[in-house]
Amino acid sequence: MSRASEFTHNNLTRQSARVRLVAWIGASIYLITFVAAFLLLPEQSTRATFIAAIFPLPAGAALLAAFLATRSSAGKRFRLWRLLAVSMSLFLLGLSYRSLVVITEGRFPRSGSFEDVVFVLGLVVLIPVVLLITEPFEVVGLRKLRATLDLISMLIAVWSISLIVLFSTSPGTESGTSVGSTMLFALYPVMAFALTLYLVVFKRTSWRSSDALVLAALAIFAIGVTVAVAYIGSYIPGTAHAARADLLISASLLLFALAGVHVYTQRERVSTRPAPEADLPQWPGLLSLGLALVGIPALILASARIDDLLVRIVLSLAVSAFAVAVVARSAVVTYENRRLAQQSIWDPLTGVFNNRYFRARVDEEVAEARLLGTDLSVCIANIDAFDSFNSEFGYRAGDIRLQDVARLFDEARAGGLAFRIGGDDFALLLPGRGVMEAHEIATRIAMRAGALGGGSMPGVNLSVGIAVLPEHASDAESLIRYASGSQYWATSLGGNRIVVFDPNVVDALDSKEHLTMLEEESHLRLVESLAAAVDARDPDTRYHSANVAKLAQGLGEALGLTDEHVRLIYSAAQLHDVGKIGIPDSILLKPGRLDEAERMKIEEHPSLGTRILQASTRPEMLQWIESHHERWDGKGYPAGTVGPDIPLEGRVLAICDAYDAMTSDRPYKRAMTVAETVDEMRRCAGTQFDPDLVETFIDVLIGTWPTTHTSNKGI
């Protein structure tokens, strides 16, 4: 960054800080003025007039701040602040009307007036605002339904208790308020608390400073309208009860305004929040069940003390709704637990059983076969050249192919069980079947797989290994190992064949493969040393590969990938820049802008890296490394691959590589802050980066990673 650019940046930073400071001071002055007016002005009518005159100011400030925030936002955040501006404009209209009535007539507007209509509309508009803040699609399905039922139960109970308190202490007619209007008025705090609780329960991602201010504003607003409802009978302009409620409502609107100021000045902090949990918190469910046990009988008994028939009918309906919500919640939990148990043993892509269940079921079937003295066959199959198929036809076509093969295994299992035990590996467990029967079933599957091709797509060739208990193995571990060895032998012979276990052949293969693995590991250690040498050429990037590997590991875990898959991504990240070993220092360390020839030289490093790694690295890892500079919009290099056709792992590496580069000091630029990097990554989502992965990366990793990476601290 040049000195002029750095000066401009620092100047803008200072201006933003001054704007935020002025906003906080202005909010404090307003609240102090409000309190002073109530305490120092002698007459109630004078106090009421003065407070009414300044009461709309916070809503006006919130409207202005929300409008300014829309100018500094994009996408969902733009829609959020545009809706918040609409909500604040409705509050401003309602409060202005209320102030006009208080000043001209010396009383508050009656229930059901224009003020109530626009206030209810303002609260309704806040609902999509909260939805956009919580990003509810991050928590979907039954978990969200369960939590929603918990909240419904609590809110019905709160509203019912509010009605009981109101009509037990004051029927609401002292100020000309009807029974229906009083019940409607009681909805104010319930709606406000509903939005606050929803935000607390469903906000599972990193908190922006504006999000925290909106949460505080909703909570204070809920308390303010609760105070108003509690003293509805004596809620008169200029009195202490009215002043308390109005002060809280003013404070909440000022917090909305401050949230908008934080967005407008573009200096939001993304504060640390724990990574999303496997499930939502349990306290809403426990609270709703507790309310069900205590609240329903209490509501029934308390409603008997209410004389008004309409209120008693409403309370009876509320009790019924409360009970229905609790019963529905229990049904959802039961179904959810059953589905989770099923998901733990099923492969989500293909619909057959997964590797975890395969291991457990083999143990069970071996024990039963020993007890009954029957055969037990295991067939393990691998799709030949599946990585090449993915490269040529794309990962979507690869997923469809996996589903088709899984269907063949499931249809041909002949009373046995079908499993997907790896990326392109399948297994059949055939109780009571010997070698000949297992071979016939495997042959039938292989023939049908060969016919799956069509058009430009080839058929599927399978390499299948078969082992049988007790003919070949005496325990579950040996049975699986021998079937796997036979399958590997089939692949080594060129694939597209079925091999029954032969101890002489498989043992010889194991010895040879062991030597080959040692040679590959030795070469890989040499390549990792080269990667470290690349980083060491530039002091500003000496820990770049380690940082990217750590980030990629965390993102892989957040995506729910298997431990082995995450390990491979971690290794690929360590090696992703090894091709830079062939880039001259004059280009790699150049502090200024690269010319066209230099840029083309830099863009050769992914392909050069794959050539260096070819002898020691898995083919799929080579694809990931070569694609780590591809872009979602197809404008990347070296191949210009578009969108989901870029390997998932390559997209992961691209995001992690870019994040570490942006948050690291370089000779030609300063390290960006976390907030700046988050904004830049969101801006580039859908063009440079996979938009879904960007959000996952930001939500899960940013809060726990250091602001800059210029050392190996914490790695």
Side-chain angles (χ1 to χ4, degrees), residues 5 216 259 272 326 555 713:
S5 299
T272 302
V326 172
L555 182 53
K713 182 179 180 181

Side-chain angles (χ1 to χ4, degrees), residues 6 136 475:
E6 185 175 359
D475 56 70

Side-chain angles (χ1 to χ4, degrees), residues 149-486:
L149 289 170
D150 291 336
L151 292 178
I152 289 173
S153 300
M154 287 186 283
L155 294 173
I156 292 174
V158 170
W159 184 57
S160 302
I161 292 170
S162 300
L163 292 182
I164 290 172
V165 172
L166 284 172
F167 287 100
S168 296
T169 57
S170 172
T173 56
E174 296 176 31
S175 56
T177 305
S178 67
V179 171
S181 297
T182 301
M183 288 191 292
L184 179 64
F185 194 41
L187 281 175
Y188 280 143
V190 173
M191 289 183 68
F193 276 118
L195 294 173
T196 305
L197 282 171
Y198 193 97
L199 189 54
V200 170
V201 172
F202 285 110
K203 180 65 174 173
R204 311 304 301 156
T205 56
S206 300
W207 283 83
R208 297 165 178 255
S209 54
S210 60
D211 296 342
L213 288 170
V214 169
L215 173 62
L218 286 171
I220 294 174
F221 183 85
I223 296 171
V225 293
T226 300
V227 171
V229 170
Y231 295 103
I232 189 171
S234 56
Y235 194 64
I236 301 168
T239 61
H241 301 326
R244 292 191 193 100
D246 292 349
L247 179 63
L248 289 168
I249 292 172
S250 296
S252 70
L253 293 172
L254 289 173
L255 286 174
F256 280 120
L258 291 171
V261 169
H262 274 246
V263 174
Y264 176 63
T265 55
Q266 294 184 321
R267 300 295 296 175
E268 287 195 293
R269 292 197 309 263
V270 182
S271 60
T272 302
R273 184 181 178 93
E277 302 170 10
D279 200 1
L280 292 169
Q282 297 298 316
W283 63 264
L286 297 175
L287 182 57
S288 66
L289 291 176
L291 286 172
L293 294 174
V294 178
I296 291 178
L299 288 175
I300 294 174
L301 293 174
S303 64
R305 299 176 54 195
I306 305 298
D307 295 330
D308 193 282
L309 178 61
L310 176 60
V311 178
R312 295 178 69 176
I313 292 174
V314 170
L315 287 176
S316 299
L317 292 174
V319 169
S320 300
F322 192 7
V324 169
V326 172
V327 172
R329 198 257 185 199
S330 300
V332 168
V333 170
T334 301
Y335 179 77
E336 187 178 15
N337 290 337
R338 185 180 304 165
R339 199 180 74 163
L340 286 173
Q342 292 176 343
Q343 287 177 343
S344 67
I345 64 175
W346 292 95
D347 175 59
L349 175 64
T350 61
V352 297
F353 293 115
N354 59 23
N355 183 55
R356 176 183 177 184
Y357 188 58
F358 172 66
R359 300 282 173 170
R361 192 58 185 261
V362 170
D363 289 336
E364 295 176 7
E365 294 295 341
V366 165
E368 185 171 348
R370 283 174 174 172
L371 181 64
L372 300 177
T374 57
D375 291 333
L376 174 63
S377 294
V378 170
C379 302
I380 292 182
N382 175 263
I383 301 176
D384 295 335
F386 186 67
D387 292 327
S388 299
F389 180 87
N390 270 338
S391 299
E392 184 175 355
F393 297 101
Y395 281 75
R396 290 182 179 175
D399 287 346
I400 295 173
R401 175 138 293 190
L402 290 172
Q403 292 167 347
D404 289 340
V405 172
R407 175 175 50 80
L408 296 181
F409 273 80
D410 193 49
E411 291 174 353
R413 55 192 172 87
L417 298 172
F419 306 84
R420 183 188 177 203
I421 59 174
D424 53 359
D425 295 321
F426 293 86
L428 272 180
L429 189 58
L430 302 170
R433 306 283 179 169
V435 172
M436 294 301 296
E437 293 171 300
H439 196 281
E440 289 175 4
I441 292 171
T443 301
R444 195 159 56 244
I445 293 174
M447 291 178 62
R448 294 186 63 191
L452 286 176
S456 61
M457 287 191 181
V460 177
N461 292 333
L462 297 176
S463 296
V464 184
I466 299 173
V468 180
L469 181 104
E471 183 175 341
H472 302 137
S474 59
D475 56 70
E477 182 180 353
S478 299
L479 185 62
I480 295 173
R481 182 157 51 88
Y482 293 161
S484 297
S486 301

